Amino acid sequence: MKAIVVARCALLAPFVEVLNDVGAPAERMLSRFGLPAHPEQKPNDYFPLIPALQFATIAQSSQGITDLGFRAVQRMHFGHMSDQLQAAVRHAPTLFSVLEQWCQLIQIEDNFVRYWLERHDDLLRVCNSISGTAGTLHLEHTQWLQNVMMVYVIRQFAGPNWAPATIAFEARYTPGPETQSRWPHTRFLSGQKVSWIDVPISLLSLPNPVKPAASGPSEREFQRIGTDAITSLKMMLPSYLDEGPLGIAEVAEIAGTSVRSLQRGLASAGLTYSRLLDQVRFEKGADLLRKTDARIIDVALATGYTDPAHFARAFRRMAGITPREFRENSPRA
């Protein structure tokens, strides 16, 4: 069973926002491609990337939208990044140190994305690629995100109007005239080996305009996403729980595999699908109880239970104590 490429729902939400603004049936389209509903309400949960690319491509053509990926990134800002990545940027002393950290910590956002730095004369090329997507069409939607997220980071140091001289796409894609007019001093390259933007070497020593704290978060505080199949499933499933738990056939379809292959993969890890789902529901419930003041009934609904009593029994079976006792005994995050 192959792993599922996943990314934070905060990166899907701007696409849905564009569709909502043009009156498109975004919720129905999300459901059609097996994507979680209301991603803007669960920014730190995860969605499967490959179905999302299909969703964006069909949405773009069916709604007559040009450059949907670009329109989505226009609605993004620095705050769409995970709290951990934002903290890394805020505590970095220079732009170059941020870029180095970014390459190490980006798997907080996406489990298969990779960034690295290459020197080219007086430019530093910030490259990125996603493994597991070879041959996938319309990668420009995610490559807009990958490139422009980096632009937003650099703007924290170089100012809000900074733009790279070049934005390169691995996809065979050329932005439309309207999009190019928004980046008048940037050239766009198509069909490159990887995606990248270039940064003048002269900018790398720019100091952080926000004085870094004496000590920032250590790397061990950052939680990277695993790339094995079981971890991918555990990261993805919580974003669906508020709609009712996914059946194994639905999960297999999203994962691009058969039910039988999914069951074999779980069995090799000593799991059944129902046991994995129980773990995911418990962990989401425990997280909400620790980190929020949500009512027990709301936690139950968020974890896929229609009856709080069923949630309480399932939680006690896993934790040995009731949800209320767990909350009372847990330090607040």
Side-chain angles (χ1 to χ4, degrees):
M1 182 176 66
K2 63 181 181 180
I4 305 167
V5 181
V6 298
R8 287 176 59 246
C9 284
L11 306 181
L12 178 61
F15 288 84
V16 176
E17 187 178 336
V18 173
L19 296 178
N20 286 334
D21 283 355
V22 301
E27 188 171 341
R28 188 166 74 238
M29 297 179 77
L30 287 167
S31 177
R32 173 185 170 187
F33 289 95
L35 295 169
H38 309 297
E40 73 284 354
Q41 296 177 12
K42 36 196 152 185
N44 292 315
D45 286 340
Y46 292 83
F47 69 92
L49 182 64
I50 301 303
L53 291 174
Q54 298 166 347
F55 157 78
T57 301
I58 296 300
Q60 178 173 269
S61 61
S62 66
Q63 302 303 314
I65 301 171
T66 304
D67 287 337
L68 177 57
F70 169 69
R71 294 179 187 276
V73 298
Q74 282 186 296
R75 296 164 184 264
M76 289 185 66
H77 49 76
F78 185 63
H80 277 90
M81 299 174 196
S82 67
D83 291 343
Q84 294 169 308
L85 278 179
Q86 289 185 54
V89 173
R90 285 195 300 269
H91 289 90
T94 66
L95 175 56
F96 182 65
S97 63
V98 163
L99 299 180
E100 286 188 311
Q101 286 192 56
W102 184 274
C103 294
Q104 296 296 317
L105 303 175
I106 188 58
Q107 283 191 342
I108 295 165
E109 302 283 343
D110 185 319
N111 63 342
F112 280 89
V113 73
R114 185 169 71 95
Y115 281 77
W116 67 98
L117 307 176
E118 293 180 359
R119 176 75 181 262
H120 290 264
D121 298 324
D122 59 347
L123 296 171
L124 185 72
R125 186 170 293 177
V126 184
C127 306
N128 63 81
S129 187
I130 298 180
S131 60
T133 58
T136 303
L137 298 177
H138 301 292
L139 283 169
E140 66 269 13
H141 298 302
T142 184
Q143 287 164 9
W144 266 116
L145 294 176
Q146 291 158 226
N147 283 329
V148 174
M149 282 175 66
M150 198 75 264
V151 171
Y152 291 155
V153 169
I154 295 167
R155 284 177 175 174
Q156 302 301 305
F157 292 77
N161 297 319
W162 182 85
T166 304
I167 294 181
F169 293 89
E170 186 178 351
R172 295 196 175 278
Y173 155 79
T174 301
E178 181 183 351
T179 300
Q180 293 193 39
S181 70
R182 302 292 186 93
W183 298 74
H185 305 296
T186 300
R187 68 169 179 157
F188 294 92
L189 299 179
S190 167
Q192 302 295 295
K193 290 183 178 180
V194 297
S195 299
W196 50 271
I197 65 171
D198 52 21
V199 184
I201 295 293
S202 59
L203 297 184
L204 298 181
S205 60
L206 284 173
N208 197 326
V210 178
K211 185 177 180 181
S215 61
S218 65
E219 189 167 327
R220 65 177 176 272
E221 296 176 53
F222 292 89
Q223 300 174 0
R224 294 178 179 80
I225 313 170
T227 56
D228 63 281
I230 303 303
T231 299
S232 297
L233 283 172
K234 291 182 72 173
M235 298 301 295
M236 183 190 78
L237 287 173
S239 62
Y240 295 89
L241 293 179
D242 59 344
E243 307 166 54
L246 284 177
I248 188 169
E250 296 171 287
V251 173
E253 184 176 358
I254 292 170
T257 189
S258 66
V259 170
R260 188 174 181 82
S261 293
L262 178 58
Q263 289 172 327
R264 282 200 300 264
L266 290 168
S268 67
L271 288 169
T272 63
Y273 180 66
S274 61
R275 184 178 170 192
L276 174 68
L277 193 56
D278 285 345
Q279 288 181 2
V280 168
R281 296 169 90 177
F282 168 73
E283 289 170 8
K284 173 131 183 165
D287 197 52
L288 290 172
L289 290 168
R290 273 194 306 266
K291 296 180 179 178
T292 75
D293 294 318
R295 298 178 304 166
I296 301 296
I297 186 172
D298 293 327
V299 175
L301 292 172
T303 51
Y305 293 92
T306 56
D307 184 341
H310 291 168
F311 166 66
R313 284 196 294 271
F315 192 93
R316 183 163 193 163
R317 187 171 64 249
M318 298 287 285
I321 55 178
T322 68
R324 194 174 304 279
E325 291 169 335
F326 179 86
R327 170 173 274 169
E328 291 171 351
N329 295 328
S330 298
R332 296 310 297 266

